[in-house]
Amino acid sequence: MRAAIGDKRGVAAAEFGILIPILSLMVVSVTDIGLALYRKMQVENAAQAGAQYAIARGFDTSGISNAVTNATNATDITASPAPVQFCGCPTSAGVSTVTCGTTCTGGAQAGTYTTVSARATYYTLIDYQIVAASYTYSAQSTARLQ
């Protein structure tokens, strides 16, 4: 009996058996965060691809939407809301919408712009119970066409 009390064989295996569920959850959680960030980057890149299409080929709603959906290998990225074309003047806060033909502050004519949006939803690998099971990412990209 005394020999069994001092015997430490198998302790490492028992500790490993206790810790493996915690370590597995940590690996899955870190992987899940990485995949969520990757989906966010895909949405941002898709919006930029749509704006680049509009710059290169002009405003074409279906062409821009196709550029957004085909920008990445993700199948659930959509051009939502649909691309819009508008006249605007650049300001320090962005582009303000004005009537076409308006003279902007500084004397330049209002330019033609497009705003392209992309959206996708990411679903977590497991249900964590303390955070949402899905996240919707959206991005916009505005570019001057003329």
Side-chain angles (χ1 to χ4, degrees):
M1 182 74 171
R2 237 169 218 240
I5 292 175
D7 190 4
K8 298 197 188 296
R9 291 179 294 174
V11 172
E15 289 175 351
F16 184 72
I18 292 170
L19 291 177
I20 195 69
I22 296 168
L23 294 173
S24 297
L25 180 61
M26 289 172 59
V27 168
V28 169
S29 299
V30 168
T31 302
D32 215 359
I33 291 169
L35 290 171
L37 290 174
Y38 180 62
R39 175 56 47 92
K40 183 176 188 241
M41 289 188 299
Q42 286 179 317
V43 170
E44 291 169 351
N45 288 339
Q48 290 175 357
Q52 290 171 348
Y53 178 92
I55 291 168
R57 296 186 176 93
F59 185 81
D60 171 23
T61 303
S62 64
I64 294 170
S65 296
N66 287 335
V68 168
T69 57
N70 295 327
T72 67
N73 59 358
T75 58
D76 64 339
I77 294 179
T78 60
S80 175
V84 294
Q85 183 177 6
F86 62 96
C87 292
C89 291
T91 66
S92 60
V95 179
S96 63
T97 304
V98 297
T99 305
C100 294
T102 300
T103 302
C104 300
T105 306
Q109 282 289 99
T112 303
Y113 292 83
T114 185
T115 297
V116 179
S117 301
R119 178 176 303 211
T121 302
Y122 176 74
Y123 299 94
T124 58
L125 297 175
I126 59 176
D127 187 4
Y128 296 101
Q129 301 291 324
I130 58 173
V131 296
S134 66
Y135 295 92
T136 300
Y137 296 112
S138 59
Q140 279 189 340
S141 186
T142 301
R144 184 173 177 151
L145 303 180
Q146 296 177 0

